[in-house]
Amino acid sequence: MRAILDVFLLVLQLYTYVLIASAIFSWLYAFNVVNSSNQFIATVGQILYNLTEPVLRPIRRFIPSLNGLDLSPIVLLLGIFLLQNVIVRYVYPNVF
């Protein structure tokens, strides 16, 4: 059972990296730092969007953007960190 929890914690950690990469990519794309007509850049952006948007969309319904500032990735990161801490502190020690 601990192996399953370890894999789940690893997936949460990897998703954290994907979420941070998606936020940084959206900033680079919005400020025209990256070439949007490049096929590789468009593919990376689409992959990051497809990985993060299904989870961020329900959060965006409850938390509106503040003058164009999207707080949903921050809320999701805080939720992931909370879930990781609950697993490490309360679930993991009680699993045989």
Side-chain angles (χ1 to χ4, degrees):
M1 187 67 179
R2 285 189 178 188
I4 294 172
L5 287 175
D6 287 337
V7 170
F8 187 67
L9 287 171
L10 180 64
V11 168
L12 286 176
Q13 189 66 39
L14 290 174
Y15 195 75
T16 300
Y17 295 143
V18 168
L19 193 60
I20 291 170
S22 176
I24 291 171
F25 183 82
S26 70
W27 294 337
L28 293 176
Y29 189 80
F31 293 121
N32 290 324
V33 174
V34 294
N35 185 5
S36 60
S37 62
N38 187 342
Q39 184 63 32
F40 177 73
I41 298 296
T43 304
V44 169
Q46 189 64 36
I47 289 171
L48 290 173
Y49 179 82
N50 289 339
L51 286 173
T52 58
E53 187 60 25
V55 181
L56 292 175
R57 190 177 308 127
I59 297 172
R60 285 190 185 120
R61 273 189 269 149
F62 294 109
I63 300 174
S65 64
L66 301 171
N67 295 330
L69 181 64
D70 186 18
L71 298 177
S72 58
I74 296 170
V75 172
L76 182 58
L77 282 174
L78 290 175
I80 289 173
F81 295 151
L82 175 70
L83 184 60
Q84 286 175 335
N85 278 328
V86 166
I87 289 172
V88 168
R89 293 177 192 268
Y90 300 112
V91 178
Y92 199 81
N94 296 323
V95 175
F96 302 145

